Amino acid sequence: MLSVTVVQEASGLDPAANRARLRELVPSDSDLVVLPEAFARDFGEAGSDVSPFAEPQDGPFGTELAKVAAEHNTTVVAGMFETSEDPARPYNTLLVRGATTASYRKIHLYDSFGYQESGSLHAGPLTPVVVDIAGFRVGLMTCYDLRFPELGRALVDQGSEVLVVPSAWVAGPRKVEHWRTLVRARAIENTVFVVAAGQPGPRYTGHSMVIDPRGDVLAGAGDGPDVLRATLDRGVLEEARVTNPSLANRRL
């Protein structure tokens, strides 16, 4: 069993204030706690320069995240802007701190729906990241990555049983429907759990979800701030892969 908490909370424009909230938002009774993309500091207005708020992984946000995770005896995933080789374009990075230490730099930048994230952020290397948390193999994706099923499948090919997707899914026409459909599709097509944490409205869509490998919704939020809890049962995953052996039946 893997106990999961999803924290659907907005990040603000003051990095110190966001860090200060970690202690109150991260519970001590879950194996895994997932916060949204860019929790260290929000994107700000569309097209804003976020480079002044980039930090190394062991900077103030990473240090505080590790400290809180250790104090609460859990593993936390949260998003930040990380300094890169291009001072003007940081990475959009997920940090994993606690019982496991890792990071993932967002591969697919949000050059879509009128946005051009690649103008202010640097894409990460084409290397899927999978970590071990409480006996489960957990793959990392960020927001727009969700629209690329090949990344989900690459993570599953490396043994992922859970996909974690911190996001700041921008609100707009059909965007909630896209989000909910894609989150469930990644779970069903890969017979994995998906833990998707979004920032709330009004700027973002919210609707964080935890989906099991059969496509059932274990927990779901609306568009406001919320906290979701779920328990991921390996028996459900094993049963789903017997009932729907799509991974074993692949021809390509």
Side-chain angles (χ1 to χ4, degrees):
M1 300 285 189
L2 179 71
S3 59
V4 174
T5 297
V6 178
V7 180
Q8 180 169 290
E9 283 284 342
S11 62
L13 299 179
D14 181 350
N18 293 332
R19 291 195 302 272
R21 298 173 64 206
L22 288 171
R23 186 164 278 99
E24 68 182 70
L25 293 175
V26 173
S28 57
D29 57 353
S30 288
D31 298 312
L32 172 63
V33 180
V34 184
L35 282 80
E37 175 187 20
F39 191 78
R41 198 267 184 184
D42 188 45
F43 288 90
E45 294 298 321
S48 294
D49 179 9
V50 298
S51 62
F53 306 100
E55 305 176 9
Q57 292 190 20
D58 60 355
F61 183 76
T63 298
E64 184 65 12
L65 191 70
K67 182 179 179 181
V68 169
E71 289 175 353
H72 293 223
N73 194 31
T74 189
T75 299
V76 186
V77 180
M80 64 170 287
F81 300 123
E82 179 197 357
T83 51
S84 78
E85 55 269 32
D86 181 348
R89 295 193 305 148
Y91 292 115
N92 185 339
T93 298
L94 298 180
L95 292 185
V96 183
R97 295 294 184 266
T100 300
T101 298
S103 63
Y104 164 68
R105 294 164 173 167
K106 186 178 181 182
I107 292 173
H108 300 98
L109 299 180
Y110 186 49
D111 290 356
S112 188
F113 291 91
Y115 289 80
Q116 189 159 11
E117 198 171 69
S118 63
S120 57
L121 293 171
H122 197 296
L126 306 180
T127 306
V129 175
V130 181
V131 298
D132 294 303
I133 300 175
F136 280 75
R137 296 280 285 166
V138 177
L140 302 178
M141 306 172 71
T142 304
C143 200
Y144 190 52
D145 284 332
L146 188 65
R147 293 186 182 271
F148 298 86
E150 58 270 28
L151 178 56
R153 183 54 55 89
L155 290 163
V156 170
D157 285 345
Q158 292 193 14
S160 292
E161 300 159 314
V162 182
L163 300 180
V164 168
V165 193
S167 301
W169 197 266
V170 178
R174 296 175 292 278
K175 296 295 291 295
V176 171
E177 290 82 0
H178 285 198
W179 165 259
R180 292 176 60 85
T181 299
L182 291 165
V183 170
R184 294 187 73 184
R186 297 296 85 84
I188 294 166
E189 70 195 4
N190 293 301
T191 52
V192 293
F193 294 96
V194 176
V195 180
Q199 290 208 41
R203 180 175 184 187
Y204 303 105
T205 60
H207 288 269
S208 297
M209 306 171 73
V210 181
I211 311 296
D212 80 7
R214 302 167 297 195
D216 291 339
V217 180
L218 300 183
D223 61 2
D226 206 346
V227 176
L228 305 179
R229 293 179 178 269
T231 299
L232 312 189
D233 184 342
R234 181 177 298 282
V236 172
L237 183 143
E238 293 171 349
E239 178 186 350
R241 290 185 172 181
V242 170
T243 302
N244 175 24
S246 57
L247 293 177
N249 292 339
R250 291 166 62 190
R251 301 286 299 278
L252 294 174

